[in-house]
Amino acid sequence: MAIDAQSIYMSLKAILPEIVIVLFAILVLLYDLILPDENRGVNAGVAIVGVVAALFSVRIVGTGKIEAFSGMIEMDAFGAFFTVVILVALLLTLMMSRSYNEWEGIQKGEYYFLLLVSAVGMIIMAKGTDLMTIFLGLEILSIPIYVLVGFDRKRMSAIEGALKYFLLGAFATGFLLYGMALIYAGTGNTNLYAIKDAISGGNGAGNVMFLCGTALLLVGFGFKVSLVPFHMWTPDAYQGAPTTVTAFMSAGPKAAAFGAVIKVLYITLPEMYPYLWKGLWVVSVLTMTVGNVTALVQDNVKRMLAYSSIAHAGYILVGLVSGDNLGAQAAMFYLLAYAFMNIGAFAVAIVISQREDEGYDIEHYRGMGFRYPVLGALMTLFLVSLGGIPPTAGFVGKFYLFSAAVKSGYIWLAVIGVLNSAASIYYYLRIVVHMYMLKPGTEEMPVRHVGFAISIALVIAAIGVVNFGLFPKLLLDFAEASVLSIIL
């Protein structure tokens, strides 16, 4: 068989960012072999250089459509968008990790290796156009994250969270894989475009195997993005994991899973929307409401942000209920905005807390706004954005999500979304009240020393929140081009 050199070249070009990340992940492991224990923080710098190089490689590859590996992966504007979202989340996480790992005594090369490898899985998942590729990406991202959640083995909460996440994750993976098997049995294909052709003309509605497979597939995705009722793992895994890993989990895997969901819904299942939208509508309402109501009664800031992330998955699903370009565009805008504001909030929480398991009580925030005005101002900015208050990126994202629902005729869904967003302001501003309106306790509560890398991460997150709140057009245009690249 003749080797098609041009096809191999284009396939390798399509996965250039993943190749760069893998090379730097290997470099981290090699460095770790020769570095003395006290210098292992250098691995964070190597990993950061790798992520920056991967971001440049996205620019080099461009947004033109490239079908790689016989149509298993597609690099286009959609793939480029999600690659950027995942790499930005990874970059901010790595910037926080060096100092955090020193403080917690978990400065090891494996930590950075696992973060880099999990990001590769996320990118493959978002760029996959075949169910097998999506599953491969899901497993590459999941296994490192299972390990990272329990990385701090000294803490029982970390082991408990990792065990729960692993068991429920394996259970959900079974649903996903069984769903893919049934879809293949019902259509004879695993490629998303080929499945669409197989069920066109209304053939999908009468195909029992396909319908059951689709339902199981969506259950598996629901677990990964913490949709109710598949969210039970989220609070314990988020609370037990090192906070830097929690921040990354709240943005990176969520973006990758939603990327795969958007591809499945918009490429394969557009004809099934008359049957799907009611289920998505109910799940969206339940996810927003359960996440927000449970967050209202949390006194632990880390756990509160965990429940908040469940609610935000519900907001993003509002955009997908509409099933049109505007809804997907709004969902993608919100995913990047959410990465900036949520990772930023976690970064401030890391600095304010003194140690894991004890430093995240809301009482710890009393008077922080006056004693540490810059940290207080940044935390307020990120919380205001999470609450959807103008002129932040969070407000613009929610505005477009709810507008998409209204334009598609889902008025009540938009109303419930707005009410949920209003309710969330209570628990976000509760932290602000503690920082600025309550007197500090008698015991002195010093914060951790803010290192250079964390400072840069905070500045980047703040600029992202403000910039995309005041000037959202550039990102909205990129998101629109991304959606059009997969449906035209």
Side-chain angles (χ1 to χ4, degrees), residues 321-381:
V321 170
S322 65
D324 58 10
N325 298 350
L326 185 60
Q329 177 189 4
M332 292 169 67
F333 177 93
Y334 200 78
L335 282 168
L336 184 56
Y338 182 71
F340 282 119
M341 55 195 180
N342 206 47
I343 293 179
F346 271 116
V348 178
I350 286 173
V351 175
I352 290 179
S353 69
Q354 290 177 307
R355 52 189 175 272
E356 282 288 352
D357 285 343
E358 296 178 20
Y360 294 100
D361 192 283
I362 195 167
E363 292 299 318
H364 197 73
Y365 287 72
R366 281 174 169 264
M368 283 288 177
F370 293 109
R371 279 185 288 159
Y372 306 101
V374 176
L375 288 175
L378 287 170
M379 190 61 160
T380 302
L381 172 67

Short mmCIF file of all heavy atoms in Angstrom, two decimals, residues 321-381:
data_model
loop_
_atom_site.label_atom_id
_atom_site.label_comp_id
_atom_site.label_asym_id
_atom_site.label_seq_id
_atom_site.Cartn_x
_atom_site.Cartn_y
_atom_site.Cartn_z
N VAL A 321 -30.37 24.41 24.21
CA VAL A 321 -31.78 24.05 24.06
C VAL A 321 -32.36 24.69 22.81
O VAL A 321 -33.19 24.09 22.11
CB VAL A 321 -32.58 24.48 25.31
CG1 VAL A 321 -34.08 24.33 25.07
CG2 VAL A 321 -32.17 23.66 26.52
N SER A 322 -31.91 25.91 22.52
CA SER A 322 -32.46 26.62 21.35
C SER A 322 -32.14 25.89 20.05
O SER A 322 -32.91 25.95 19.10
CB SER A 322 -31.91 28.05 21.30
OG SER A 322 -30.51 28.03 21.08
N GLY A 323 -30.99 25.22 19.99
CA GLY A 323 -30.65 24.43 18.81
C GLY A 323 -30.26 25.23 17.58
O GLY A 323 -30.13 24.67 16.49
N ASP A 324 -30.06 26.54 17.74
CA ASP A 324 -29.67 27.34 16.57
C ASP A 324 -28.24 27.87 16.73
O ASP A 324 -27.59 27.64 17.76
CB ASP A 324 -30.65 28.50 16.34
CG ASP A 324 -30.73 29.42 17.56
OD1 ASP A 324 -29.90 29.25 18.47
OD2 ASP A 324 -31.61 30.28 17.59
N ASN A 325 -27.77 28.58 15.72
CA ASN A 325 -26.39 29.07 15.73
C ASN A 325 -26.15 30.03 16.89
O ASN A 325 -25.09 30.01 17.52
CB ASN A 325 -26.08 29.78 14.41
CG ASN A 325 -26.18 28.85 13.24
OD1 ASN A 325 -26.31 27.64 13.42
ND2 ASN A 325 -26.13 29.40 12.04
N LEU A 326 -27.14 30.90 17.16
CA LEU A 326 -26.97 31.90 18.21
C LEU A 326 -26.78 31.23 19.58
O LEU A 326 -25.96 31.68 20.38
CB LEU A 326 -28.19 32.83 18.25
CG LEU A 326 -28.11 34.00 19.23
CD1 LEU A 326 -26.93 34.89 18.89
CD2 LEU A 326 -29.41 34.80 19.23
N GLY A 327 -27.52 30.16 19.81
CA GLY A 327 -27.41 29.47 21.09
C GLY A 327 -26.03 28.84 21.27
O GLY A 327 -25.41 28.96 22.35
N ALA A 328 -25.53 28.16 20.24
CA ALA A 328 -24.20 27.55 20.33
C ALA A 328 -23.12 28.62 20.46
O ALA A 328 -22.15 28.47 21.22
CB ALA A 328 -23.94 26.69 19.10
N GLN A 329 -23.29 29.71 19.73
CA GLN A 329 -22.33 30.83 19.79
C GLN A 329 -22.27 31.39 21.22
O GLN A 329 -21.18 31.63 21.76
CB GLN A 329 -22.78 31.91 18.81
CG GLN A 329 -21.93 33.16 18.82
CD GLN A 329 -22.58 34.27 17.97
OE1 GLN A 329 -23.68 34.12 17.46
NE2 GLN A 329 -21.89 35.38 17.83
N ALA A 330 -23.45 31.58 21.83
CA ALA A 330 -23.49 32.11 23.20
C ALA A 330 -22.86 31.13 24.18
O ALA A 330 -22.14 31.53 25.10
CB ALA A 330 -24.93 32.41 23.59
N ALA A 331 -23.13 29.84 23.99
CA ALA A 331 -22.57 28.82 24.89
C ALA A 331 -21.04 28.83 24.82
O ALA A 331 -20.35 28.72 25.84
CB ALA A 331 -23.12 27.45 24.54
N MET A 332 -20.51 28.95 23.61
CA MET A 332 -19.06 28.93 23.45
C MET A 332 -18.43 30.20 24.04
O MET A 332 -17.37 30.14 24.67
CB MET A 332 -18.71 28.79 21.97
CG MET A 332 -19.09 27.41 21.41
SD MET A 332 -19.01 27.28 19.63
CE MET A 332 -17.26 27.44 19.35
N PHE A 333 -19.07 31.35 23.84
CA PHE A 333 -18.58 32.59 24.45
C PHE A 333 -18.53 32.42 25.97
O PHE A 333 -17.55 32.79 26.63
CB PHE A 333 -19.52 33.75 24.07
CG PHE A 333 -19.15 35.06 24.72
CD1 PHE A 333 -18.33 35.97 24.05
CD2 PHE A 333 -19.61 35.39 25.99
CE1 PHE A 333 -17.98 37.18 24.65
CE2 PHE A 333 -19.26 36.59 26.58
CZ PHE A 333 -18.45 37.49 25.91
N TYR A 334 -19.59 31.84 26.52
CA TYR A 334 -19.69 31.72 27.98
C TYR A 334 -18.61 30.78 28.53
O TYR A 334 -18.11 30.97 29.65
CB TYR A 334 -21.08 31.22 28.38
CG TYR A 334 -21.41 31.53 29.81
CD1 TYR A 334 -21.81 32.81 30.19
CD2 TYR A 334 -21.30 30.56 30.81
CE1 TYR A 334 -22.10 33.11 31.51
CE2 TYR A 334 -21.59 30.85 32.12
CZ TYR A 334 -22.00 32.13 32.47
OH TYR A 334 -22.27 32.43 33.78
N LEU A 335 -18.27 29.74 27.77
CA LEU A 335 -17.26 28.79 28.25
C LEU A 335 -15.91 29.48 28.48
O LEU A 335 -15.24 29.23 29.48
CB LEU A 335 -17.11 27.64 27.25
CG LEU A 335 -18.22 26.58 27.30
CD1 LEU A 335 -18.14 25.66 26.08
CD2 LEU A 335 -18.10 25.75 28.58
N LEU A 336 -15.51 30.36 27.55
CA LEU A 336 -14.24 31.07 27.73
C LEU A 336 -14.35 32.11 28.83
O LEU A 336 -13.44 32.25 29.67
CB LEU A 336 -13.79 31.72 26.42
CG LEU A 336 -12.42 32.41 26.47
CD1 LEU A 336 -11.33 31.44 26.93
CD2 LEU A 336 -12.03 32.99 25.11
N ALA A 337 -15.47 32.83 28.85
CA ALA A 337 -15.66 33.84 29.91
C ALA A 337 -15.66 33.16 31.28
O ALA A 337 -15.06 33.68 32.24
CB ALA A 337 -16.98 34.58 29.69
N TYR A 338 -16.29 32.00 31.36
CA TYR A 338 -16.36 31.28 32.64
C TYR A 338 -14.97 30.83 33.09
O TYR A 338 -14.66 30.85 34.28
CB TYR A 338 -17.28 30.06 32.48
CG TYR A 338 -17.45 29.27 33.76
CD1 TYR A 338 -18.18 29.78 34.83
CD2 TYR A 338 -16.87 28.01 33.90
CE1 TYR A 338 -18.32 29.06 36.00
CE2 TYR A 338 -17.01 27.29 35.07
CZ TYR A 338 -17.74 27.82 36.11
OH TYR A 338 -17.87 27.10 37.28
N ALA A 339 -14.13 30.45 32.13
CA ALA A 339 -12.76 30.04 32.48
C ALA A 339 -12.02 31.20 33.15
O ALA A 339 -11.36 31.01 34.18
CB ALA A 339 -12.01 29.59 31.23
N PHE A 340 -12.15 32.39 32.61
CA PHE A 340 -11.46 33.54 33.20
C PHE A 340 -12.01 33.85 34.60
O PHE A 340 -11.24 34.01 35.56
CB PHE A 340 -11.63 34.78 32.31
CG PHE A 340 -10.73 34.78 31.10
CD1 PHE A 340 -11.25 34.80 29.83
CD2 PHE A 340 -9.35 34.76 31.26
CE1 PHE A 340 -10.43 34.80 28.71
CE2 PHE A 340 -8.51 34.76 30.14
CZ PHE A 340 -9.05 34.78 28.87
N MET A 341 -13.35 33.96 34.72
CA MET A 341 -13.89 34.44 36.01
C MET A 341 -13.82 33.38 37.09
O MET A 341 -13.56 33.70 38.26
CB MET A 341 -15.33 34.96 35.83
CG MET A 341 -16.31 34.01 35.22
SD MET A 341 -17.81 34.92 34.70
CE MET A 341 -18.81 33.61 34.01
N ASN A 342 -13.99 32.12 36.75
CA ASN A 342 -14.00 31.09 37.79
C ASN A 342 -12.58 30.75 38.25
O ASN A 342 -12.32 30.61 39.45
CB ASN A 342 -14.70 29.83 37.29
CG ASN A 342 -15.29 29.03 38.43
OD1 ASN A 342 -15.96 29.59 39.31
ND2 ASN A 342 -15.04 27.74 38.45
N ILE A 343 -11.65 30.60 37.30
CA ILE A 343 -10.27 30.33 37.70
C ILE A 343 -9.71 31.53 38.46
O ILE A 343 -8.95 31.36 39.43
CB ILE A 343 -9.41 29.99 36.46
CG1 ILE A 343 -9.88 28.66 35.85
CG2 ILE A 343 -7.94 29.90 36.83
CD1 ILE A 343 -9.13 28.25 34.61
N GLY A 344 -10.09 32.74 38.06
CA GLY A 344 -9.67 33.93 38.81
C GLY A 344 -10.16 33.90 40.25
O GLY A 344 -9.41 34.20 41.19
N ALA A 345 -11.43 33.52 40.44
CA ALA A 345 -11.98 33.43 41.81
C ALA A 345 -11.25 32.38 42.62
O ALA A 345 -10.93 32.59 43.81
CB ALA A 345 -13.47 33.12 41.74
N PHE A 346 -10.95 31.24 42.01
CA PHE A 346 -10.21 30.20 42.72
C PHE A 346 -8.79 30.67 43.07
O PHE A 346 -8.26 30.33 44.12
CB PHE A 346 -10.14 28.92 41.87
CG PHE A 346 -11.30 27.99 42.09
CD1 PHE A 346 -12.19 27.70 41.06
CD2 PHE A 346 -11.51 27.38 43.32
CE1 PHE A 346 -13.26 26.84 41.26
CE2 PHE A 346 -12.58 26.51 43.52
CZ PHE A 346 -13.45 26.25 42.50
N ALA A 347 -8.17 31.47 42.17
CA ALA A 347 -6.81 31.96 42.44
C ALA A 347 -6.79 32.85 43.68
O ALA A 347 -5.90 32.74 44.53
CB ALA A 347 -6.29 32.72 41.22
N VAL A 348 -7.79 33.74 43.80
CA VAL A 348 -7.85 34.59 44.99
C VAL A 348 -8.12 33.75 46.23
O VAL A 348 -7.52 33.96 47.30
CB VAL A 348 -8.95 35.66 44.82
CG1 VAL A 348 -9.04 36.51 46.09
CG2 VAL A 348 -8.66 36.56 43.64
N ALA A 349 -9.01 32.75 46.10
CA ALA A 349 -9.33 31.89 47.24
C ALA A 349 -8.08 31.14 47.72
O ALA A 349 -7.88 30.95 48.92
CB ALA A 349 -10.43 30.90 46.85
N ILE A 350 -7.24 30.72 46.78
CA ILE A 350 -6.00 30.01 47.14
C ILE A 350 -5.09 30.92 47.97
O ILE A 350 -4.52 30.51 48.98
CB ILE A 350 -5.25 29.56 45.86
CG1 ILE A 350 -5.97 28.36 45.23
CG2 ILE A 350 -3.81 29.19 46.18
CD1 ILE A 350 -5.40 27.98 43.88
N VAL A 351 -4.97 32.18 47.56
CA VAL A 351 -4.08 33.10 48.26
C VAL A 351 -4.62 33.44 49.66
O VAL A 351 -3.88 33.51 50.64
CB VAL A 351 -3.90 34.39 47.43
CG1 VAL A 351 -3.07 35.41 48.21
CG2 VAL A 351 -3.22 34.08 46.10
N ILE A 352 -5.95 33.63 49.73
CA ILE A 352 -6.54 34.01 51.02
C ILE A 352 -6.52 32.86 52.02
O ILE A 352 -6.30 33.05 53.21
CB ILE A 352 -7.99 34.52 50.81
CG1 ILE A 352 -7.95 35.89 50.09
CG2 ILE A 352 -8.72 34.65 52.13
CD1 ILE A 352 -9.30 36.48 49.81
N SER A 353 -6.72 31.64 51.54
CA SER A 353 -6.73 30.50 52.46
C SER A 353 -5.31 30.23 52.95
O SER A 353 -4.33 30.55 52.28
CB SER A 353 -7.25 29.26 51.75
OG SER A 353 -6.32 28.83 50.79
N GLN A 354 -5.21 29.67 54.13
CA GLN A 354 -3.89 29.39 54.69
C GLN A 354 -3.44 27.97 54.37
O GLN A 354 -2.26 27.70 54.23
CB GLN A 354 -3.92 29.60 56.19
CG GLN A 354 -4.06 31.08 56.55
CD GLN A 354 -4.15 31.28 58.03
OE1 GLN A 354 -4.99 30.67 58.68
NE2 GLN A 354 -3.31 32.14 58.55
N ARG A 355 -4.39 27.04 54.30
CA ARG A 355 -4.06 25.67 53.94
C ARG A 355 -5.34 24.96 53.52
O ARG A 355 -6.44 25.39 53.85
CB ARG A 355 -3.39 24.93 55.10
CG ARG A 355 -4.16 24.99 56.39
CD ARG A 355 -3.33 24.44 57.54
NE ARG A 355 -4.03 24.62 58.81
CZ ARG A 355 -3.92 25.71 59.55
NH1 ARG A 355 -3.18 26.71 59.13
NH2 ARG A 355 -4.57 25.81 60.69
N GLU A 356 -5.18 23.86 52.82
CA GLU A 356 -6.33 23.09 52.36
C GLU A 356 -7.12 22.55 53.54
O GLU A 356 -6.59 22.29 54.61
CB GLU A 356 -5.85 21.92 51.49
CG GLU A 356 -5.48 22.32 50.08
CD GLU A 356 -6.69 22.67 49.23
OE1 GLU A 356 -7.83 22.46 49.68
OE2 GLU A 356 -6.48 23.20 48.12
N ASP A 357 -8.41 22.36 53.32
CA ASP A 357 -9.35 21.80 54.30
C ASP A 357 -9.70 22.75 55.43
O ASP A 357 -10.63 22.51 56.18
CB ASP A 357 -8.82 20.49 54.91
CG ASP A 357 -8.94 19.32 53.93
OD1 ASP A 357 -9.70 19.46 52.95
OD2 ASP A 357 -8.27 18.31 54.15
N GLU A 358 -8.93 23.85 55.62
CA GLU A 358 -9.22 24.72 56.76
C GLU A 358 -9.33 26.20 56.38
O GLU A 358 -9.83 26.99 57.16
CB GLU A 358 -8.11 24.58 57.82
CG GLU A 358 -8.04 23.19 58.42
CD GLU A 358 -6.91 23.07 59.42
OE1 GLU A 358 -6.44 24.11 59.92
OE2 GLU A 358 -6.48 21.94 59.69
N GLY A 359 -8.87 26.56 55.20
CA GLY A 359 -8.79 27.99 54.91
C GLY A 359 -9.89 28.53 54.02
O GLY A 359 -9.79 29.65 53.54
N TYR A 360 -10.95 27.75 53.77
CA TYR A 360 -11.96 28.20 52.81
C TYR A 360 -13.30 28.57 53.46
O TYR A 360 -14.28 28.78 52.76
CB TYR A 360 -12.17 27.13 51.74
CG TYR A 360 -10.95 26.94 50.87
CD1 TYR A 360 -10.07 25.88 51.09
CD2 TYR A 360 -10.64 27.84 49.86
CE1 TYR A 360 -8.93 25.72 50.32
CE2 TYR A 360 -9.51 27.70 49.09
CZ TYR A 360 -8.66 26.63 49.31
OH TYR A 360 -7.53 26.48 48.56
N ASP A 361 -13.33 28.60 54.80
CA ASP A 361 -14.57 29.00 55.46
C ASP A 361 -14.83 30.47 55.19
O ASP A 361 -13.91 31.29 55.19
CB ASP A 361 -14.46 28.74 56.96
CG ASP A 361 -15.81 28.87 57.64
OD1 ASP A 361 -16.27 30.02 57.84
OD2 ASP A 361 -16.42 27.83 57.93
N ILE A 362 -16.10 30.82 54.98
CA ILE A 362 -16.43 32.19 54.60
C ILE A 362 -16.08 33.19 55.72
O ILE A 362 -15.80 34.36 55.45
CB ILE A 362 -17.93 32.30 54.21
CG1 ILE A 362 -18.19 33.62 53.48
CG2 ILE A 362 -18.83 32.14 55.43
CD1 ILE A 362 -19.52 33.68 52.80
N GLU A 363 -16.04 32.72 56.97
CA GLU A 363 -15.67 33.60 58.08
C GLU A 363 -14.23 34.10 57.94
O GLU A 363 -13.85 35.12 58.49
CB GLU A 363 -15.85 32.86 59.41
CG GLU A 363 -17.30 32.57 59.75
CD GLU A 363 -18.13 33.85 59.88
OE1 GLU A 363 -17.63 34.82 60.47
OE2 GLU A 363 -19.27 33.88 59.36
N HIS A 364 -13.44 33.34 57.19
CA HIS A 364 -12.05 33.71 56.97
C HIS A 364 -11.93 34.99 56.14
O HIS A 364 -10.88 35.65 56.13
CB HIS A 364 -11.36 32.55 56.24
CG HIS A 364 -9.87 32.59 56.29
ND1 HIS A 364 -9.15 32.30 57.42
CD2 HIS A 364 -8.95 32.92 55.35
CE1 HIS A 364 -7.87 32.43 57.18
NE2 HIS A 364 -7.71 32.80 55.93
N TYR A 365 -13.02 35.36 55.45
CA TYR A 365 -13.00 36.52 54.54
C TYR A 365 -13.37 37.82 55.24
O TYR A 365 -13.37 38.88 54.61
CB TYR A 365 -13.95 36.28 53.36
CG TYR A 365 -13.41 35.26 52.38
CD1 TYR A 365 -13.36 33.91 52.71
CD2 TYR A 365 -12.94 35.64 51.14
CE1 TYR A 365 -12.86 32.97 51.83
CE2 TYR A 365 -12.43 34.71 50.25
CZ TYR A 365 -12.39 33.39 50.61
OH TYR A 365 -11.88 32.45 49.74
N ARG A 366 -13.69 37.77 56.53
CA ARG A 366 -14.07 38.99 57.26
C ARG A 366 -12.97 40.06 57.18
O ARG A 366 -11.83 39.80 57.54
CB ARG A 366 -14.33 38.67 58.72
CG ARG A 366 -15.68 38.04 59.01
CD ARG A 366 -15.75 37.63 60.46
NE ARG A 366 -17.10 37.25 60.85
CZ ARG A 366 -17.95 38.09 61.44
NH1 ARG A 366 -17.57 39.32 61.73
NH2 ARG A 366 -19.17 37.69 61.76
N GLY A 367 -13.36 41.21 56.69
CA GLY A 367 -12.42 42.35 56.66
C GLY A 367 -11.29 42.24 55.66
O GLY A 367 -10.41 43.12 55.62
N MET A 368 -11.29 41.20 54.85
CA MET A 368 -10.20 41.00 53.89
C MET A 368 -10.10 42.14 52.88
O MET A 368 -9.03 42.50 52.41
CB MET A 368 -10.38 39.67 53.15
CG MET A 368 -9.99 38.46 53.96
SD MET A 368 -8.21 38.34 54.15
CE MET A 368 -8.08 36.89 55.19
N GLY A 369 -11.23 42.73 52.53
CA GLY A 369 -11.25 43.77 51.51
C GLY A 369 -10.45 45.00 51.91
O GLY A 369 -9.91 45.69 51.03
N PHE A 370 -10.38 45.30 53.22
CA PHE A 370 -9.64 46.47 53.68
C PHE A 370 -8.19 46.13 53.96
O PHE A 370 -7.29 46.94 53.74
CB PHE A 370 -10.31 47.05 54.93
CG PHE A 370 -11.68 47.62 54.63
CD1 PHE A 370 -12.83 46.98 55.06
CD2 PHE A 370 -11.80 48.79 53.90
CE1 PHE A 370 -14.08 47.49 54.77
CE2 PHE A 370 -13.06 49.32 53.60
CZ PHE A 370 -14.20 48.66 54.04
N ARG A 371 -7.96 44.92 54.47
CA ARG A 371 -6.57 44.55 54.79
C ARG A 371 -5.77 44.22 53.52
O ARG A 371 -4.58 44.45 53.44
CB ARG A 371 -6.56 43.35 55.74
CG ARG A 371 -6.80 43.75 57.19
CD ARG A 371 -6.66 42.56 58.10
NE ARG A 371 -7.79 41.66 57.94
CZ ARG A 371 -7.76 40.38 58.29
NH1 ARG A 371 -6.66 39.86 58.76
NH2 ARG A 371 -8.83 39.63 58.14
N TYR A 372 -6.45 43.67 52.53
CA TYR A 372 -5.79 43.31 51.27
C TYR A 372 -6.65 43.84 50.12
O TYR A 372 -7.41 43.09 49.49
CB TYR A 372 -5.62 41.79 51.18
CG TYR A 372 -4.90 41.22 52.37
CD1 TYR A 372 -5.61 40.60 53.40
CD2 TYR A 372 -3.52 41.34 52.50
CE1 TYR A 372 -4.96 40.09 54.52
CE2 TYR A 372 -2.86 40.85 53.61
CZ TYR A 372 -3.59 40.22 54.61
OH TYR A 372 -2.93 39.74 55.72
N PRO A 373 -6.59 45.16 49.86
CA PRO A 373 -7.54 45.80 48.92
C PRO A 373 -7.46 45.26 47.49
O PRO A 373 -8.49 45.16 46.82
CB PRO A 373 -7.14 47.28 48.98
CG PRO A 373 -5.78 47.31 49.58
CD PRO A 373 -5.68 46.13 50.48
N VAL A 374 -6.26 44.92 47.02
CA VAL A 374 -6.16 44.42 45.64
C VAL A 374 -6.84 43.06 45.51
O VAL A 374 -7.62 42.81 44.58
CB VAL A 374 -4.68 44.33 45.20
CG1 VAL A 374 -4.57 43.73 43.81
CG2 VAL A 374 -4.04 45.71 45.24
N LEU A 375 -6.55 42.16 46.46
CA LEU A 375 -7.19 40.84 46.42
C LEU A 375 -8.70 40.98 46.57
O LEU A 375 -9.47 40.29 45.89
CB LEU A 375 -6.63 39.96 47.54
CG LEU A 375 -5.20 39.45 47.36
CD1 LEU A 375 -4.74 38.68 48.59
CD2 LEU A 375 -5.11 38.54 46.13
N GLY A 376 -9.12 41.88 47.46
CA GLY A 376 -10.56 42.08 47.65
C GLY A 376 -11.23 42.59 46.38
O GLY A 376 -12.32 42.13 46.00
N ALA A 377 -10.57 43.55 45.71
CA ALA A 377 -11.14 44.09 44.48
C ALA A 377 -11.22 43.04 43.38
O ALA A 377 -12.23 42.93 42.66
CB ALA A 377 -10.30 45.28 44.01
N LEU A 378 -10.16 42.23 43.26
CA LEU A 378 -10.17 41.19 42.23
C LEU A 378 -11.25 40.14 42.51
O LEU A 378 -11.98 39.71 41.61
CB LEU A 378 -8.79 40.51 42.16
CG LEU A 378 -7.68 41.34 41.52
CD1 LEU A 378 -6.33 40.68 41.72
CD2 LEU A 378 -7.96 41.52 40.02
N MET A 379 -11.35 39.73 43.79
CA MET A 379 -12.38 38.73 44.13
C MET A 379 -13.77 39.29 43.84
O MET A 379 -14.64 38.59 43.31
CB MET A 379 -12.26 38.36 45.62
CG MET A 379 -13.11 37.16 46.02
SD MET A 379 -12.62 35.68 45.12
CE MET A 379 -13.27 34.38 46.16
N THR A 380 -13.98 40.56 44.16
CA THR A 380 -15.27 41.19 43.88
C THR A 380 -15.56 41.19 42.38
O THR A 380 -16.68 40.88 41.96
CB THR A 380 -15.28 42.64 44.42
OG1 THR A 380 -14.99 42.62 45.82
CG2 THR A 380 -16.63 43.30 44.18
N LEU A 381 -14.55 41.52 41.59
CA LEU A 381 -14.73 41.53 40.12
C LEU A 381 -15.15 40.14 39.61
O LEU A 381 -16.10 40.03 38.83
CB LEU A 381 -13.42 41.96 39.45
CG LEU A 381 -13.38 41.85 37.92
CD1 LEU A 381 -14.36 42.85 37.30
CD2 LEU A 381 -11.97 42.07 37.39
#
